[in-house]
């Protein structure tokens, strides 16, 4: 679910939830049909310094693929003829400093570097189908690479250390916290994408072409049993919360929490005491459920027993409506053929008493009010982000999410670029740039930050004598690894 970060509010954020493919190799789509166009024919791509955010992460050219490079590959010299990591960083910074048009004039027009090599500086591996072609053949790909990079938020160079992160926590007054499944895993609730342990890795038995289909609204409409077969595994259980949820509550208590945008559907923030007015449930939650037929709404607790038993919860209001309908005078009934196709009109309205051919009314399914892939996010998401938080935010903290679900993945790019951003998770992300990366177990990271800030984060899951070792990640000035001593 990996769209290029949206520019300052120009991209509408009320859009269906989709999976953003931040993979290393993707099909090259129709968007790059003219891969042999010369620079002058592709000049429209270079002429503007707009940070427009077309979804260039799904490119295709027949059956070929384009690989997206990681910085580690450049750093380790694994790609022949590619830029070094230092060269790539310098090229990226220069692009942001002078804009796309001037950058192309300075590099390609003056033949200071080939387009083929320059593509690697911006994360695109020169594709095999262009091997041996004139350098001009790489211009459209370079245009795409520049647009992708220019849309990315550049790192703020003044923020790098743990001390910087602590100072930002202490001084900030309007903090936006964006959270994902990683903040609940310590409670036994699985995340979705972790290898071997994530929910998606355990769904092969369902026979889906893509495990994410379990949360696809069209699949749900066709066969809700697929979703309910796994719903019990992600259903919130006891009224408990993790230290990271407690950290968000602590920010609220200190008057620093502007908004917690949560992608989680477990509603555990409420268990921690985070106020409803401080939370935006980006993907909905299990807190309520709605009938897909009559829109009757209930509290989530009303269907939890059925979900835990692996049953499909049915609407309790529908039977009364069905009974009322049955009392009305019935006209000729429309019959269905056994193969699902309508019979001819003469047979179609046959009034025989073969009830097996009639569609018997049944109660609707109670769908938890979570946002499936293909459904729009709640209006509150875009309204609050664009018209409220963007004007007030002074610090962004992203915790426990790989940022692969759009449009929530676009939040860091929508907020002002001069506002510092901190990322807390087990592993860094490469498709979005943060100022400081704090890597490790979320609970461990936030508890250590609070210790250093002089804050008292109390939680029974935090040992009183916990000692945390923080070490810089080699080759990355602003990435730091947190590990409990002796663990």
């Amino acid at each position: 679910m990996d769209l290029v970060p949206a520019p300052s509010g120009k991209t509408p954020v009320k859009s269906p939830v989709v999976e953003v493919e931040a993979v290393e190799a993707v099909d090259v789509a129709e968007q790059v049909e003219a891969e042999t166009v010369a620079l002058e024919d592709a000049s429209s791509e270079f002429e503007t310094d707009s940070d427009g955010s077309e979804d260039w992460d799904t490119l295709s050219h027949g059956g070929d693929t384009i690989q997206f490079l990681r910085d580690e590959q450049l750093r380790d010299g694994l790609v022949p003829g590619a830029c070094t990591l230092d060269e790539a960083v310098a090229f990226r910074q220069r692009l942001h400093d002078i804009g796309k048009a001037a950058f192309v004039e300075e590099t390609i027009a003056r033949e200071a570097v080939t387009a083929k090599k320059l593509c690697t500086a911006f994360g695109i591996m020169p594709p095999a189908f262009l091997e041996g072609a004139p350098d001009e053949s790489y211009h459209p790909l370079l245009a795409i690479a520049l647009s992708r990079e220019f849309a990315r938020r550049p790192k703020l160079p003044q923020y790098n250390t743990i001390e910087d992160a602590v100072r930002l926590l202490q001084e900030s007054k309007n903090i936006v916290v964006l959270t994902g499944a990683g903040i609940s895993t310590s409670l036994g609730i699985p995340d979705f994408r972790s290898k071997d342990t994530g929910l998606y890795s355990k769904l092969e038995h369902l026979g889906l072409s893509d495990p994410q289909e379990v949360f696809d609204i069209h699949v749900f409409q066709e066969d809700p049993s697929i979703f309910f077969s796994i719903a019990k595994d992600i259903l919130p259980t006891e009224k408990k919360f993790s230290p990271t949820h407690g950290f968000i509550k602590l920010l609220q208590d200190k008057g620093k929490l502007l908004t917690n945008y949560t992608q989680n559907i477990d509603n555990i923030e409420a268990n921690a005491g985070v106020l409803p007015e401080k939370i935006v449930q980006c993907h909905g939650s299990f807190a309520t459920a709605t009938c897909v037929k009559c829109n009757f709404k209930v509290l989530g607790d009303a269907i939890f027993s059925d979900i835990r038993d692996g049953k499909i919860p049915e609407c309790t209001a529908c039977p009364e409506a069905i009974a009322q309908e049955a009392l009305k005078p019935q006209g000729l009934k429309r019959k269905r053929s056994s193969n699902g196709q309508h019979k001819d009109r003469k047979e179609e309205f046959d009034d025989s008493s073969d009830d097996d051919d009639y569609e018997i009314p049944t109660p609707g399914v109670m769908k938890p009010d979570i946002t499936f892939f293909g459904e729009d996010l709640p209006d509150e998401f875009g309204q609050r982000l664009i018209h409220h938080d963007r004007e007030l935010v002074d610090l962004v903290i992203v915790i426990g999410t790989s940022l692969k679900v759009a449009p929530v993945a676009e939040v860091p790019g929508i907020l002002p670029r001069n506002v510092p951003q901190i990322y807390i998770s087990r592993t860094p992300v490469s498709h979005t740039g943060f100022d400081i990366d704090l890597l490790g177990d979320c609970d461990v990271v936030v508890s250590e930050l609070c210790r250093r800030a002089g804050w008292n984060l109390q939680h029974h899951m935090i040992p009183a004598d916990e000692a945390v070792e923080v070490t810089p990640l080699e080759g990355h000035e602003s990435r730091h690894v947190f590990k409990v001593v002796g663990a």
Side-chain angles (χ1 to χ4, degrees):
M1 299 172 197
D2 190 25
L3 296 181
V4 177
S8 309
K10 296 177 184 177
T11 297
V13 291
K14 179 177 170 54
S15 56
V17 178
V18 295
E19 178 69 10
V20 177
E21 293 299 338
V23 293
E24 309 215 354
V26 296
D27 288 338
V28 189
E30 305 91 21
Q31 296 163 330
V32 197
E33 294 175 348
E35 71 281 345
T36 57
V37 178
L39 177 59
E40 57 269 22
D41 296 326
S43 60
S44 60
E45 294 289 352
F46 298 116
E47 284 174 354
T48 174
D49 288 339
S50 166
D51 56 358
S53 61
E54 294 89 352
D55 181 9
W56 291 122
D57 280 359
T58 52
L59 316 175
S60 98
H61 177 80
D64 293 301
T65 61
I66 283 182
Q67 291 181 307
F68 291 98
L69 299 173
R70 300 190 310 274
D71 282 355
E72 289 79 2
Q73 292 170 285
L74 299 180
R75 182 192 65 202
D76 298 337
L78 300 178
V79 183
C83 292
T84 66
L85 181 56
D86 288 343
E87 288 173 334
V89 171
F91 278 132
R92 295 169 195 169
Q93 184 60 52
R94 187 61 176 164
L95 171 65
H96 287 285
D97 287 344
I98 66 177
K100 286 188 284 187
F103 181 81
V104 170
E105 171 63 27
E106 185 176 277
T107 55
I108 300 301
R110 298 180 185 177
E111 299 182 351
V113 62
T114 65
K116 179 180 179 180
K117 182 176 181 178
L118 200 53
C119 281
T120 66
F122 299 100
I124 289 184
M125 172 82 83
F129 65 79
L130 287 182
E131 189 62 38
D135 195 57
E136 289 81 358
S137 300
Y138 293 88
H139 289 166
L141 289 177
L142 179 59
I144 290 167
L146 296 183
S147 292
R148 292 175 70 241
E149 175 62 32
F150 202 73
R152 288 177 52 156
R153 171 190 178 272
K155 179 189 178 319
L156 300 178
Q158 66 268 38
Y159 303 112
N160 297 287
T161 67
I162 301 299
E163 291 72 25
D164 291 336
V166 171
R167 187 177 70 257
L168 287 170
L169 275 178
Q170 293 171 323
E171 296 177 356
S172 299
K173 298 179 180 179
N174 291 296
I175 302 175
V176 164
V177 180
L178 173 60
T179 51
I183 73 169
S184 298
T185 54
S186 61
L187 302 177
I189 299 174
D191 64 8
F192 295 94
R193 294 172 181 82
S194 291
K195 185 178 180 181
D196 299 326
T197 60
L199 182 67
Y200 289 153
S201 69
K202 301 177 180 180
L203 300 183
E204 291 183 5
H205 67 283
L206 295 178
L208 302 173
S209 58
D210 182 341
Q212 292 165 130
E213 290 180 2
V214 76
F215 293 106
D216 187 286
I217 187 58
H218 304 295
V219 173
F220 182 88
Q221 291 165 344
E222 292 174 5
D223 186 1
S225 68
I226 294 176
F227 167 76
F228 286 110
S229 70
I230 62 92
K232 59 182 179 296
D233 297 325
I234 56 175
L235 194 67
T237 52
E238 306 168 39
K239 298 294 184 181
K240 56 185 179 180
F241 58 92
S242 72
T244 306
H245 292 97
F247 169 71
I248 299 170
K249 170 63 160 54
L250 184 60
L251 293 179
Q252 174 183 280
D253 292 345
K254 292 182 173 293
K256 293 175 175 288
L257 180 63
L258 183 59
T259 303
N260 176 197
Y261 290 88
T262 176
Q263 299 173 88
N264 298 335
I265 56 179
D266 49 36
N267 200 37
I268 292 177
E269 296 84 7
N271 297 346
V274 182
L275 298 173
E277 58 266 31
K278 291 291 184 179
I279 304 173
V280 173
Q281 302 273 8
C282 302
H283 295 158
S285 77
F286 276 104
T288 57
T290 303
C291 174
V292 298
K293 284 189 176 180
C294 73
N295 294 321
F296 178 64
K297 189 179 288 287
V298 298
L299 292 177
D301 292 348
I303 66 170
F304 283 0
S305 60
D306 280 343
I307 293 177
R308 292 192 182 101
D309 292 338
K311 299 178 182 177
I312 298 177
E314 294 185 345
C315 178
T316 57
C318 277
E320 182 178 348
I322 292 171
Q324 292 292 329
E325 185 68 23
L327 296 176
K328 296 179 181 179
Q330 300 296 311
L332 297 177
K333 297 181 178 179
R334 185 173 185 173
K335 296 179 64 175
R336 297 180 300 167
S337 60
S338 59
N339 64 4
Q341 300 296 319
H342 292 312
K343 300 180 180 181
D344 62 46
R345 296 183 63 86
K346 182 176 180 181
E347 294 178 323
E348 201 171 16
F349 293 100
D350 180 48
D351 61 351
S352 73
S353 59
D354 185 3
D355 289 340
D356 289 341
D357 284 342
Y358 302 145
E359 184 160 2
I360 301 173
T362 57
V365 173
M366 295 301 297
K367 174 186 173 292
D369 290 332
I370 63 178
T371 306
F372 280 57
F373 295 125
E375 291 188 297
D376 286 344
L377 264 66
D379 291 337
E380 182 189 14
F381 170 71
Q383 290 294 322
R384 181 156 181 152
L385 180 66
I386 299 299
H387 301 295
H388 183 264
D389 291 353
R390 194 169 61 174
E391 302 301 321
L392 299 174
V393 61
D394 55 9
L395 176 63
V396 179
I397 307 177
V398 178
I399 316 178
T401 172
S402 56
L403 290 176
K404 291 188 176 181
V405 181
V408 178
E410 301 170 16
V411 169
I414 291 173
L415 294 172
R417 296 186 171 196
N418 64 321
V419 173
Q421 298 190 3
I422 298 173
Y423 182 71
I424 301 173
S425 196
R426 290 186 180 275
T427 56
V429 295
S430 59
H431 59 287
T432 301
F434 290 94
D435 302 313
I436 306 174
D437 293 309
L438 307 179
L439 308 178
D441 182 279
C442 297
D443 294 341
V444 172
V445 174
V446 299
S447 63
E448 180 63 16
L449 286 177
C450 287
R451 287 191 199 96
R452 297 189 180 211
W455 297 354
N456 185 20
L457 176 60
Q458 293 185 331
H459 195 284
H460 70 277
M461 292 173 64
I462 303 176
D465 59 347
E466 182 179 74
V468 178
E469 180 183 47
V470 182
T471 56
L473 188 65
E474 184 179 356
H476 296 275
E477 180 185 16
S478 59
R479 289 183 178 176
H480 310 274
V481 179
F482 289 60
K483 185 178 180 181
V484 176
V485 175

